[in-house]
């Protein structure tokens, strides 16, 4: 139903106020109350699977009618197994330690003041995301675990699925004694609704956009509250001195090919000059088998004539496809310099058994995650043992790399005295 | 000497590049190298006191000629004792534990990957501040301790003092084996220079503005990099049930009067209705003695007729002067609601021996620092045992409350494997 901007603004303001009140109550909930609620949500998702699939069918029908790409249709589709997996995700989050109420430090000052640094929720978190309806459940679950109310804004393609899921989550929350407004979905697909949401800094403490670089740049430009974000992943591997080629080839194939469309996939391979003559033929053969298009510098192309020439832009590119930029470099310092210049500070690794080079690489690469002899694909909350993730940060402020429930808390200082005044 | 915007832009770009290179080197410096440098800086500040005072005399002369207010002149003045206190500040920072290289967590995943979360410097920190030249030394010292290069932009009033101090700091850094560009001062007082600095997100990882609310709002509006900031301190004390009046009066006097012009000074007093009749006469008398102007609600003014009426705006006001807003509230929940509505999430306290009310207040007040029976004036890096502070944050992201060298670090994950690929 069409609404005016004024009506939308009033409704979003009311949602913000409701979320703020809900957040204050959630901050005081016991671990057991939150975890029981998350488990009840998991059960409800499974028992209402038919209703969820019916809403999802409407989204799929509209998507097919609009001629949306098959890959997008796939991401939009909720099957029984994906529904179970959303429920299991909530159970995993429920099973983890409560990130709220951790005593981060406690000191008694010479004047007797006792200062306790305590982890507390942010309050209200806004999540802006694109096609996958499972984000509705994953994101809400982690926010609630960390004692935050959540305002969700999903993509237009998943609108019907998201409405059913968010309504279910909030209903279960209320039934379990959590406040009404624990999880709210913005019920409009207009872009105007996002713009208005991003001005609600009175109520929303933090916004996390998940999606393509364009969405994220828009959110950063328009948001009046802090944003935790991930721009892009231009991930590197460096084949260094004393490299085990068999291991390196398996890692490169995994990092590039196992899921090329994600942010922790490999985009540029750096090869040490000392290894190039021996390594490149085997590498070129493996990439040919995997169907990877190579774009290299002049020196690489002498050893691998079928490779296309790499332009400067190739070294900045996040292909998200079976394309790989390659460059021959002279030593570990040159590899680090390349990553410093072209990288996105996401995930970068060295493939080498040379202890000095490994140490130099670990110390000097300024990325959220720095690897030795492993695939960059491990930069992920689940793989890091966080149980679930709300996203990956390429920022340096507050959180870097995979973000779980711990990263959705802040802290406050409690200071207990008995009459202390400052001299 | 006048320069064009283009020349300024080129020079600032070169400073940024230099700082980035310096930051990379500083990140790898040993604790001893950094601490020795800080101590050598302290010694140099003392041995070059005459040169510093001569530069300061030029600033003071210009300030007097411009008819600047006495309070500002006082903040600008560098005496022998203030110079010694800057040097001692550096020695205190040198004596503290290194915030860089702390292992924040270490786990071995079931697949054998070893994940280490390590504290690391941000890289380059920008500081924008107003009249006090001592900030040049304090801020640079904390940045260096945390392994960051620093770009300083001081106020125009302290320009000559800042030039001498920053030059001295960078010279000592180089003499001690730290990189050139460890501490750089922007050598122009034009506002344009700040605007250009705030676009250097390629080089500057984080900006910290220190000064009035107007400066901070400008920085937030114009900066393309993250900002850690402090808007204002509308600090509250709540005289609750079972309050020790003698203690309360001393704390209120200290919080309001000891230094009214600072952000952790008291601005609004909330008095529980149950205590009002007994407490207000003694309180009014004490404030009269201290020369504090009171502005209260109708109920308070019945008990204290000499108080002026408080407008709504008084409860939002950061007076920074001997004025105090007062309101009678009905119970601890109403006190918390007032703070939630009008406060700035800086420092708020309860004065009470009632355990249930104290607990409610500590749990429900969402401020960086929440006090029980102590003055709000303790919200300060030195008083918290941080040794020195770079500022106080009223943000929730990354750092809240007093910020020391620890808060000028971020972290990265080091992942060591032996061929792991993702399934």
């Amino acid at each position: 139903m069409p609404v005016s901007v004024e009506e939308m603004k009033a409704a979003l303001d009311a949602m913000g106020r409701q979320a703020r009140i809900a957040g204050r109550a959630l901050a005081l909930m016991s671990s057991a109350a939150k975890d029981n609620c998350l488990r009840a949500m998991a059960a409800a998702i499974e028992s209402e699977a038919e209703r969820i699939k019916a809403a999802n069918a409407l989204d799929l029908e509209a998507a097919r009618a609009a001629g949306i790409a098959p890959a997008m249709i796939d991401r939009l589709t909720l099957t029984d197994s994906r529904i179970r997996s959303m429920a299991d995700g909530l159970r995993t989050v429920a099973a983890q330690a409560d990130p709220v109420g951790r005593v981060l430090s406690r000191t008694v000052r010479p004047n007797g003041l006792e200062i306790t640094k305590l982890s507390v929720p942010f309050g209200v978190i806004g999540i802006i995301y694109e096609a996958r309806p499972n984000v509705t459940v994953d994101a809400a679950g982690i926010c609630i675990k960390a004692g935050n109310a959540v305002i969700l804004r999903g993509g237009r393609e998943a609108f019907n699925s998201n409405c059913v899921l968010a309504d279910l989550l909030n209903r279960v929350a209320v039934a379990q004694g959590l406040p009404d407004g624990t999880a709210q979905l913005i019920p409009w697909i207009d872009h105007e609704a996002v713009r208005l949401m991003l001005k609600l800094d009175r109520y929303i403490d933090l916004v996390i956009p998940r999606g393509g670089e364009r969405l994220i740049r828009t959110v950063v430009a328009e948001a009046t509250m802090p944003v935790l974000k991930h721009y892009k992943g231009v991930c590197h591997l460096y084949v260094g001195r004393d490299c085990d080629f068999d291991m390196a080839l398996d890692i490169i194939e995994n990092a590039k090919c196992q899921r090329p469309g994600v942010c922790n996939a490999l985009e540029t391979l750096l090869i040490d000059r000392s290894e190039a003559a021996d390594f490149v033929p085997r590498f070129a053969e493996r990439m040919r088998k995997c169907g990877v298009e190579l774009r290299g510098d002049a020196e690489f192309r002498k050893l691998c004539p079928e490779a296309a020439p790499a332009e400067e832009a190739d070294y900045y590119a996040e292909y998200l496809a079976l394309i790989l930029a390659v460059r021959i470099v002279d030593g570990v310092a040159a590899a680090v310099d390349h990553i410093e210049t072209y990288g996105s500070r996401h995930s970068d690794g060295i493939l080498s058994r040379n202890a000095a080079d490994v140490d130099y690489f670990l110390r000097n690469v300024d990325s959220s995650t720095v690897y030795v002899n492993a695939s960059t694909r491990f930069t992920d909350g689940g793989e890091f043992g966080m149980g679930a993730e709300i996203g990956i940060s390429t920022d340096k402020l507050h959180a870097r790399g995979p973000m779980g429930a711990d990263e959705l808390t802040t802290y406050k200082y409690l200071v207990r005295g008995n009459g202390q005044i400052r001299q």
Side-chain angles (χ1 to χ4, degrees), chain A:
Chain A
M1 97 206 105
V3 290
S4 72
V5 171
E6 278 316 304
E7 287 169 306
M8 215 186 267
K9 195 161 185 288
L12 284 169
D13 207 71
M15 284 177 73
R17 217 173 314 121
Q18 174 89 10
R20 179 130 220 109
I21 295 166
R24 281 182 63 179
L26 275 170
L28 304 177
M29 288 281 162
S30 70
S31 306
K34 291 185 287 189
D35 294 342
N36 287 337
C37 177
L38 291 170
R39 282 187 286 262
M41 286 170 169
I45 284 171
E46 288 177 339
S47 68
E48 300 199 29
E50 291 311 315
R51 205 159 72 80
I52 295 167
K53 283 191 289 181
N56 188 242
L58 295 177
D59 288 330
L60 290 171
E61 196 180 318
R64 287 195 197 98
I68 280 173
M72 179 82 116
I73 299 271
D74 176 59
R75 294 162 78 176
L76 188 56
T77 306
L78 288 177
T79 60
D80 281 325
S81 114
R82 285 185 180 173
I83 288 173
R84 208 160 40 240
S85 141
M86 290 194 289
D88 286 342
L90 289 173
R91 290 187 187 106
T92 305
V93 173
Q96 294 186 298
D98 194 337
V100 173
R102 284 172 294 149
V103 174
L104 304 174
S105 69
R106 175 171 282 157
T107 51
V108 178
R109 302 291 305 152
N111 62 5
L113 281 183
E114 184 202 68
I115 304 183
T116 306
K117 186 176 180 180
L118 193 74
S119 71
V120 298
F122 273 102
V124 179
I125 294 179
I127 314 276
I128 301 175
Y129 52 107
E130 294 181 332
R132 287 169 201 261
N134 64 303
V135 175
T136 305
V137 175
D138 296 353
I142 302 178
C143 287
I144 294 165
K145 178 77 184 191
N148 299 290
V150 62
I151 296 182
L152 300 153
R153 155 69 194 210
R156 67 164 61 222
E157 297 78 8
F159 184 69
N160 291 292
S161 314
N162 289 338
C163 283
V164 166
L165 288 168
D167 173 66
L168 182 153
L169 294 174
N170 197 61
R171 260 192 302 119
V172 174
V174 172
Q176 293 284 322
L178 268 63
D180 190 13
T182 291
Q184 298 179 84
L185 179 82
I186 294 185
W188 296 288
I189 54 174
D190 313 56
H191 179 64
E192 189 62 28
V194 180
R195 292 192 40 205
L196 291 169
M197 174 190 182
L198 293 174
K199 303 306 172 203
L200 293 179
D201 56 326
R202 249 186 93 188
Y203 303 120
I204 302 179
D205 294 285
L206 173 63
V207 158
I208 303 177
R210 292 181 55 167
E213 192 176 348
R214 203 170 133 227
L215 167 73
I216 293 163
R217 295 219 175 262
T218 305
V219 169
V220 169
E222 297 189 5
T224 51
M225 65 288 281
V227 180
L228 271 185
K229 64 193 174 291
H230 164 271
Y231 277 131
K232 55 181 187 171
V234 181
C235 301
H236 300 74
L237 286 173
Y238 162 56
V239 175
R241 296 187 292 171
D242 307 327
C243 175
D244 175 336
F245 289 170
D246 290 331
M247 182 186 76
L249 291 171
D250 288 345
I251 289 174
I252 293 165
E253 176 182 336
N254 183 257
K256 180 69 250 180
C257 308
Q258 192 238 0
R259 211 167 152 203
V262 295
C263 64
N264 55 20
L266 177 66
E267 302 293 10
T268 295
L269 184 74
L270 304 170
I271 303 172
D272 198 88
R273 178 163 295 145
S274 66
E275 308 289 313
D278 293 337
F279 181 70
V280 170
R282 293 188 56 189
F283 162 69
E285 189 198 337
R286 178 72 77 99
M287 291 299 103
R288 217 164 19 240
K289 272 192 198 151
C290 297
V292 175
E293 176 191 334
L294 300 177
R295 302 186 186 172
D297 65 347
E299 193 173 345
F300 175 73
R301 293 179 63 231
K302 275 186 204 153
L303 298 166
C304 178
E306 76 262 35
E311 315 275 324
E312 178 87 355
D314 283 298
Y315 295 121
Y316 287 112
E318 185 186 29
Y319 296 120
L320 301 175
L322 287 178
I323 307 171
L324 183 61
V326 187
R327 190 174 196 178
I328 307 292
V329 294
D330 200 10
V332 65
V336 169
D337 284 344
H338 178 99
I339 293 167
E340 160 93 3
T341 306
Y342 298 98
S344 63
R345 301 174 182 234
H346 191 298
S347 298
D348 301 291
I350 180 172
L351 307 174
S352 165
R353 303 261 186 235
N354 184 299
D357 284 3
V358 163
D359 182 61
Y360 182 92
F361 193 90
L362 285 173
R363 283 160 62 88
N364 282 279
V365 171
D366 181 24
S367 298
S368 88
T369 312
V370 190
Y371 287 91
V372 182
N373 296 328
S375 169
T376 55
R377 290 277 296 113
F378 287 107
T379 304
D380 172 277
E383 296 293 333
F384 271 44
M386 294 175 177
E389 73 174 26
I390 192 92
I392 293 173
S393 167
T394 55
D395 286 343
K396 286 186 173 179
L397 213 64
H398 186 73
R400 265 188 122 175
M403 298 184 286
D406 275 6
E407 284 71 25
L408 297 186
T409 62
T410 177
Y411 59 81
K412 67 181 177 185
Y413 289 101
L414 309 182
V415 182
R416 288 182 178 83
N418 48 18
Q420 282 83 350
I421 61 174
R422 189 157 168 191
Q423 304 305 330

